Amino acid sequence: MELRTLKVFVEVVRRGGFSHAGKAVFLTQSAVSKAVRQLEDELGVILLDRIGHRSTLTAAGETVYRRALRILSEQEDLLGELSELRGLKKGRLRLGLPPIGNDAVFAPIFAVYRNRYPGIEIELVEQGSKRLEEMVRSGEVDLGASLLPVPQEFEWQELRNEPMHVLLPAQHPLASVGDIELAALRDMPFILFEGGFALNPIILDACRTAGFTPAIAARSSQIAFIVELVALGLGIGFLPRLIAEQRVNDRVRHVAVTAPAMAWHMAWIWRRGAFLPHAARAWLDLAAE
């Protein structure tokens, strides 16, 4: 069994098909299909259920996919350790960042790191917290930023712990109060982030604790658009305090939410017990400063 064949199979699963996988590994669609069939023949099991242009994992395929991720991540660890032993002056840092908070939280660290370690090549990937956990698990990134709590398979270092604020139109009667109990917002339409954003469960779980299910007026992946919708009176939004302070405009106010309190508890995560490159350790040291 070759590592290259395993990588091709993993990419087929990740990309959802043979043609997209081929582009990722620089092979033709027929070569990708041949590699997967070769792996099936070698293992004596069918890995993919091929229906038209779609392919889904069989039970055996799920097992092989899970093991293949571990094998390929171990390969990454091996290559990383060997690079460290060779004493390379240049290195690579693969970072996974969430879409929320990049300018307020991560950009300042990035600027200082680039100035301090100009020889380190930095690869940035922007995904939601759950997807970043998958990428850390599979070794696609060295470090990912995710909301706590995280599974026990990860080690973590706290980055920020910010209370959540509600965004209200400036003319709203509650816009001038010091803080708001979540139950007081039950009759207002909510503007949430798109599915997959880790902030949504925080908000919805707090609503359930407060005894209501909010009406959702809209969803967006763009903070600026959510702020604008709030300014126009289409609903209320939520942001961590630090980000709200930098993103609201004159037509929007942000107020702390209490009872129950909500928090944006962000941490850097990496695989427990895995080799962590020097470039990643240097990033964690800087973030801790």
Side-chain angles (χ1 to χ4, degrees):
M1 185 187 309
E2 297 182 1
L3 291 174
R4 181 172 175 274
T5 307
L6 283 179
K7 181 172 177 59
V8 170
F9 170 65
V10 165
E11 288 300 328
V12 170
V13 178
R14 282 180 180 159
R15 311 283 174 171
F18 293 89
S19 59
H20 293 301
K23 295 176 183 178
V25 296
F26 304 104
L27 292 174
T28 63
Q29 180 175 341
S30 60
V32 170
S33 179
K34 181 179 179 181
V36 173
R37 290 192 182 279
Q38 178 182 337
L39 183 60
E40 290 177 327
D41 291 341
E42 186 176 353
L43 296 175
V45 292
I46 299 299
L47 302 177
L48 295 172
D49 186 8
R50 300 166 177 81
I51 306 174
H53 295 291
R54 296 179 59 252
S55 298
T56 58
L57 283 170
T58 63
E62 291 178 359
T63 299
V64 173
Y65 177 68
R66 186 172 61 252
R67 294 281 187 174
L69 289 177
R70 295 179 187 173
I71 292 171
L72 293 173
S73 65
E74 286 292 331
Q75 180 197 27
E76 285 287 334
D77 284 351
L78 172 61
L79 295 176
E81 288 191 57
L82 291 176
S83 294
E84 292 287 327
L85 288 173
R86 294 190 192 104
L88 295 179
K89 293 183 179 180
K90 292 188 177 182
R92 180 179 60 156
L93 174 62
R94 300 172 303 165
L95 279 179
L97 304 180
I100 298 174
N102 280 352
D103 51 352
V105 179
F106 306 110
I109 304 175
F110 181 83
V112 175
Y113 188 90
R114 288 292 297 164
N115 184 60
R116 190 176 295 184
Y117 307 104
I120 301 295
E121 176 189 355
I122 302 178
E123 296 181 8
L124 297 177
V125 177
E126 187 178 82
Q127 295 287 347
S129 287
K130 293 305 178 184
R131 174 62 183 134
L132 287 179
E133 288 180 9
E134 294 176 4
M135 296 184 76
V136 171
R137 184 181 294 114
S138 64
E140 294 176 75
V141 295
D142 302 311
L143 297 170
S146 184
L147 290 180
L148 296 176
V150 293
Q152 287 293 318
E153 64 190 291
F154 298 116
E155 296 186 61
W156 56 273
Q157 175 181 297
E158 184 176 83
L159 175 60
R160 299 287 304 198
N161 191 358
E162 291 285 330
M164 293 290 291
H165 279 206
V166 61
L167 308 182
L168 298 163
Q171 70 276 13
H172 194 281
L174 295 175
S176 58
V177 302
D179 54 61
I180 298 174
E181 291 191 7
L182 190 60
L185 306 172
R186 65 187 309 146
D187 295 328
M188 301 180 189
F190 280 37
I191 302 171
L192 298 181
F193 288 90
E194 288 183 350
F197 278 68
L199 278 182
N200 288 343
I202 294 175
I203 298 167
L204 296 176
D205 287 348
C207 289
R208 280 190 287 270
T209 301
F212 71 98
T213 300
I216 300 174
R219 294 178 182 268
S220 176
S221 61
Q222 303 299 318
I223 294 177
F225 188 54
I226 291 176
V227 172
E228 186 63 23
L229 292 180
V230 171
L232 294 172
L234 271 69
I236 59 174
F238 295 85
L239 284 175
R241 176 185 57 190
L242 175 69
I243 300 171
E245 288 173 347
Q246 297 192 8
R247 289 302 194 96
V248 299
N249 55 46
D250 293 339
R251 297 174 297 154
V252 175
R253 299 289 183 269
H254 59 96
V255 182
V257 179
T258 62
M262 297 183 287
W264 186 71
H265 199 180
M266 181 67 65
W268 294 110
I269 64 170
W270 62 97
R271 284 181 296 136
R272 186 175 299 278
F275 170 75
L276 202 57
H278 173 73
R281 294 187 182 278
W283 179 274
L284 290 175
D285 291 341
L286 177 60
E289 293 178 17

